[in-house]
């Protein structure tokens, strides 16, 4: 073991967040598990919430304090840009990529309003999934694959998200079935 590894803290493992947009609903669901190394530190963390006036929902994967800082910044951008999520997200991504303090924040976010679902990253990415499904975090790929497989067979967006999260929880050791779900009626 190298000297550097000897003194480093165990890795915190985040979460699984999924966003699903289907049949007039936008859903963001997240599990509640926070792990450090091999230990589950908290089984019921809340990593999904409504933002601002409730017209935007969001979920995060990564460091909790960093994510709350980003949520606060996003809420300020939403207020400044009259609730326009795309514009607020682009402005946040610019700041996140270029600001010395924000650049060190380790988190990813999925946010949605009535029109759009977006993935935001610290690299300055603002990504809109083409199929209405977005997923991030430790079990994100499992949830994404499950949701894509279920898309043609499950009409209800919330049921689809919950089933995909259950599959992710069954496969990923850093994901559990203690879900927080936020729902918006969407325009698309």
């Amino acid at each position: 073991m190298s000297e550097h590894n000897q003194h480093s803290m165990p890795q915190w493992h985040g979460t699984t967040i999924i966003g699903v947009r289907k049949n007039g609903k936008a859903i963001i669901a997240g599990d509640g598990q926070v792990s450090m190394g091999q230990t589950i530190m908290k089984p019921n963390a809340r990593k999904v919430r409504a933002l601002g006036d409730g017209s935007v929902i969001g979920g995060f994967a990564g460091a909790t304090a960093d994510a709350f800082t980003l949520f606060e910044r996003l809420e300020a951008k939403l207020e400044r840009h009259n609730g326009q999520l795309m514009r607020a997200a682009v402005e946040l991504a610019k700041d996140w990529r270029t600001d010395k303090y924000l650049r060190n924040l380790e988190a990813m976010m999925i946010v949605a309003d009535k029109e759009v679902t977006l993935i935001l990253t610290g690299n300055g990415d603002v990504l809109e999934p083409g199929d209405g499904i977005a997923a991030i975090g430790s079990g994100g790929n499992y949830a994404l694959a499950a949701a894509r497989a279920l898309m043609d067979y499950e009409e209800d967006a919330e049921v689809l998200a919950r089933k995909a999260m259950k599959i992710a929880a069954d496969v990923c050791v850093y994901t559990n079935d203690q879900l927080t779900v936020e729902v918006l009626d969407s325009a698309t």
Side-chain angles (χ1 to χ4, degrees):
M1 183 179 258
S2 74
E3 186 177 325
H4 177 265
N5 289 340
Q6 226 173 2
H7 299 293
S8 64
M9 292 289 294
Q11 174 122 14
W12 286 91
H13 286 280
T15 194
T16 301
I17 302 291
I18 191 163
V20 175
R21 182 176 294 277
K22 186 172 184 175
N23 293 336
K25 291 201 185 284
I27 310 294
I28 296 183
D31 78 314
Q33 184 167 309
V34 176
S35 304
M36 186 173 70
Q38 302 297 321
T39 305
I40 297 171
M41 301 300 287
K42 185 170 184 172
N44 60 348
R46 185 174 173 87
K47 303 169 211 165
V48 173
R49 66 182 194 150
L51 302 172
D53 63 2
S55 64
V56 173
I57 55 177
F60 70 87
T64 305
D66 293 356
F68 284 126
T69 298
L70 293 166
F71 273 154
E72 287 173 7
R73 295 280 180 125
L74 180 58
E75 285 178 319
K77 300 281 185 194
L78 284 165
E79 194 173 303
R80 185 173 309 130
H81 297 292
N82 298 317
Q84 296 175 42
L85 178 58
M86 182 64 84
R87 186 157 179 212
V90 168
E91 291 300 317
L92 175 65
K94 282 184 202 173
D95 291 351
W96 195 354
R97 187 182 72 245
T98 59
D99 182 273
K100 269 184 172 179
Y101 168 72
L102 293 179
R103 204 174 24 220
N104 293 318
L105 299 182
E106 295 182 15
M108 290 180 75
M109 301 167 64
I110 296 177
V111 293
D113 66 6
K114 288 180 182 275
E115 281 90 35
V116 68
T117 298
L118 302 170
I119 299 172
L120 309 178
T121 76
N123 296 330
D125 298 318
V126 178
L127 308 169
E128 183 178 358
D131 61 1
I133 304 169
I136 57 174
S138 308
N141 287 337
Y142 303 117
L144 180 65
R148 284 185 175 162
L150 293 166
M151 192 66 149
D152 290 338
Y153 306 101
E154 181 54 62
E155 292 304 313
D156 186 278
E158 183 174 351
V159 171
L160 192 154
R162 287 180 181 277
K163 285 181 177 179
M165 288 296 291
K166 167 125 180 44
I167 291 167
D170 288 346
V171 177
C172 178
V173 297
Y174 300 112
T175 304
N176 71 14
D177 61 1
Q178 304 288 313
L179 300 183
T180 302
V181 179
E182 290 287 344
V183 180
L184 281 178
D185 289 324
S186 67
T188 56

